[in-house]
């Protein structure tokens, strides 16, 4: 089959990790006889440098006319204090493509137990959680205001029932495909928008009698993730709480450098990206971990292209290379073989 893939390498380590994913996708083409047409485009800081805009219209057009988008990362200190921030490009493309649901799986691989900051005793029951984050609403997209004299600023957290319902459906559907346990995370003891969130999730639960829905305040959810991560199956939460909790769940899984994400809307066209940032401090040094981007590409094959066997082959190749003791710096531990970004991608491609 033939697919058009828009590539947005972005800033910092973005170009290296996306190149790594392309190496693996080319191996998939060869092994399974598909054709992937890549179109590379600009977003974030590099787009500000080139066009004066973090999200040029051309980038939106390329993404819209592709079957899916693979993104590296955007941002960096170079653009701190600039009138337009690279991150605005990321938020803009999520909105422009209508990608309201963000799926962030965190799985603790047995090979990486030593890389987790949690003690063995907390990890004995493993970790396999899917954070379903609302991605185009809430405080990220509410009204922003500031006083001209700089004496105050405000950001609005607003959710409509419709917005909560559509992300809730994705979360319940996801739970149905997993262990049928869903925790909705909010701050309903304080926020009106959270009370609407909780009420809407509770109403939706009637349509999913097999799913066991419970509610948790976000502060408690953060604590529970740290003390007993195995209790979670699927978590559904707002844009900002999902941003925070997914960093936490990924750290528990060993390294943020391992974990993928999928952003989807009403169509099959999605955007796939590692959940980590652009790590400008290590950019260009060939030491970044490309695995998060490589497994994001696997998610793309499965969720947008329906190529589950190919996706599985990528994940199996990643496990194989980890079993062979190859590690990038972020997941390095005693006795392992330290491997650069490019080499890691090549090893995964070879072992496909
Ligand atoms: C993420 C990132 C982004 C977000 C930033 C870079 C705008 O942290 O994808 O989690 O907050 O959504
Ligand atoms: Mg984040």
């Amino acid at each position: 089959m033939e697919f058009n893939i828009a590539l947005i390498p972005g800033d910092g380590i973005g170009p290296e990790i996306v190149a790594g994913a392309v190496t693996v996708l080319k191996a998939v083409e060869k092994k399974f006889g598909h054709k992937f047409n890549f179109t590379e485009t600009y977003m974030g800081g590099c787009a500000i440098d080139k066009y004066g805009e973090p999200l040029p219209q051309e980038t939106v057009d390329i993404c819209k006319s592709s079957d899916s988008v693979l993104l590296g990362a955007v941002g960096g200190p170079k653009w701190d204090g600039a009138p337009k921030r690279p991150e605005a490009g990321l938020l803009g493309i999520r909105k422009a493509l209508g990608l309201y649901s963000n799926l962030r799986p965190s799985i603790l691989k047995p090979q990486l137990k030593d890389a987790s900051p949690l003690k063995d005793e907390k990890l004995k029951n493993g970790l396999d959680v899917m954070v379903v984050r609302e991605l185009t609403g809430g405080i990220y997209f509410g009204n922003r205001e500031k006083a001209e004299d700089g004496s105050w600023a405000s950001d609005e957290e607003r959710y409509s029932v419709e917005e909560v319902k559509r992300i809730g459906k994705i979360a319940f559907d996801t739970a149905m495909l997993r262990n049928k346990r869903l925790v909705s995370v909010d701050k309903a003891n304080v926020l009106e928008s959270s009370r609407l969130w909780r009420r809407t999730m509770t109403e939706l639960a009637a349509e999913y009698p097999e799913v066991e829905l419970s509610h948790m305040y976000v502060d408690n959810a953060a604590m529970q993730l740290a003390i007993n991560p195995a209790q979670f199956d699927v978590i559904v939460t707002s844009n900002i709480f999902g941003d925070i909790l997914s960093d936490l769940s990924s750290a528990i899984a060993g390294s943020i450098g391992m974990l993928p994400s999928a952003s989807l809307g009403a169509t099959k066209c999605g955007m796939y990206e590692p959940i980590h940032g652009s790590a400008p401090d290590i950019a260009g040094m060939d030491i970044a971990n490309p695995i998060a981007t490589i497994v994001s590409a696997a998610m793309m094959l499965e969720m947008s292209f329906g190529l589950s066997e190919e996706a599985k082959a990528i994940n199996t190749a990643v496990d194989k290379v980890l079993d062979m003791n190859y590690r990038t710096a972020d997941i390095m531990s005693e006795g392992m073989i330290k491997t650069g970004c490019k080499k890691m991608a090549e090893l995964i491609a070879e072992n496909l």
Side-chain angles (χ1 to χ4, degrees):
M1 289 207 270
E2 187 168 342
F3 298 95
N4 298 322
I5 302 173
L7 297 177
I8 307 181
D11 309 315
I13 57 170
E16 300 161 57
I17 54 179
V18 168
V22 169
T23 300
V24 175
L25 284 171
K26 288 199 164 138
V28 171
E29 273 187 313
K30 227 164 138 196
K31 184 175 159 96
F32 293 90
H34 300 302
K35 175 115 184 59
F36 300 134
N37 306 312
F38 299 105
T39 309
E40 205 170 307
T41 184
Y42 290 84
M43 191 180 89
C46 59
I48 295 176
D49 290 350
K50 199 171 148 82
Y51 302 97
E53 283 294 331
L55 181 62
Q57 184 58 41
E58 187 192 287
T59 300
V60 177
D61 294 341
I62 289 174
C63 293
K64 279 192 172 161
S65 64
S66 299
D67 295 311
S68 266
V69 184
L70 185 65
L71 170 72
V74 296
K78 183 177 167 195
W79 301 279
D80 277 351
K84 286 178 182 155
R85 293 193 58 100
E87 290 82 355
L90 183 56
L91 301 186
I93 192 79
R94 287 173 180 168
K95 196 74 170 179
L97 300 178
L99 307 174
Y100 62 84
S101 94
N102 183 221
L103 306 180
R104 297 187 161 187
S106 285
I107 298 174
L108 179 76
K109 289 184 183 287
Q111 300 97 328
L112 294 186
K113 247 174 108 185
D114 292 342
S116 173
L118 293 194
K119 293 193 189 109
D120 274 4
E121 148 216 343
K122 299 260 186 322
L123 294 172
K124 61 176 189 290
N125 297 321
L127 165 75
D128 183 352
V129 57
M130 177 70 90
V131 176
V132 179
R133 170 189 176 191
E134 199 291 325
L135 203 60
T136 51
I139 200 165
Y140 274 63
F141 292 93
N143 281 333
R144 264 183 245 304
E145 279 183 273
K146 61 179 177 193
E148 276 188 27
D149 66 0
S151 61
W152 59 266
S154 85
D155 299 276
E156 177 196 34
E157 170 87 351
R158 173 193 284 260
Y159 270 111
S160 69
V161 170
E162 271 320 299
E163 282 173 308
V164 178
K165 244 192 194 159
R166 67 181 183 182
I167 190 67
K169 281 191 178 141
I170 303 284
F172 277 100
D173 287 340
T174 305
M176 283 300 289
L177 296 172
R178 295 173 46 109
N179 291 319
K180 303 195 172 82
R181 284 182 293 118
L182 176 62
V183 178
S184 172
V185 172
D186 61 39
K187 190 71 187 175
N189 49 349
V190 178
L191 304 176
E192 204 53 57
S193 52
S194 278
R195 289 191 271 273
L196 177 141
W197 180 281
R198 189 174 281 221
R199 193 187 75 220
T200 307
M201 289 295 169
T202 305
E203 282 167 13
L204 203 54
E207 293 172 32
Y208 296 86
E210 282 178 56
V211 176
E212 178 200 315
L213 172 72
S214 57
H215 303 275
M216 215 180 255
Y217 298 137
V218 63
D219 47 352
N220 184 31
M223 180 175 77
Q224 294 298 329
L225 269 170
I227 61 180
N228 179 14
Q231 70 184 284
F232 294 101
D233 177 24
V234 181
I235 290 175
V236 62
T237 192
S238 64
N239 205 340
I240 188 141
F241 295 160
D243 179 45
I244 299 165
L245 291 181
S246 61
D247 266 35
L248 179 55
S249 59
S250 70
I252 294 170
S255 167
I256 196 167
M258 296 293 298
L259 298 173
S261 77
S263 303
L264 292 153
T267 68
K268 280 257 162 214
C269 172
M271 188 163 81
Y272 297 82
E273 58 178 304
I275 82 164
H276 61 71
S278 60
D281 52 321
I282 59 163
M285 291 164 68
D286 193 36
I287 58 171
N289 187 347
I291 294 180
T293 316
I294 290 169
V295 292
S296 294
M299 274 185 108
M300 172 173 81
L301 297 185
E302 180 170 354
M303 304 188 76
S304 284
F305 302 168
L307 303 177
S308 342
E309 199 190 324
E310 290 79 346
K312 206 165 153 214
I314 294 179
N315 286 307
T316 307
V318 168
D319 284 339
K320 212 156 142 192
V321 171
L322 292 174
D323 284 335
M324 288 155 76
N325 293 342
Y326 290 105
R327 299 285 188 275
T328 43
D330 57 315
I331 50 172
M332 187 62 193
S333 58
E334 222 185 294
M336 300 291 122
I337 311 161
K338 202 159 176 180
T339 311
C341 178
K342 188 158 186 276
K343 180 80 199 288
M344 180 55 100
E346 283 166 5
L347 284 164
I348 294 167
E350 279 161 26
N351 282 280
L352 198 83

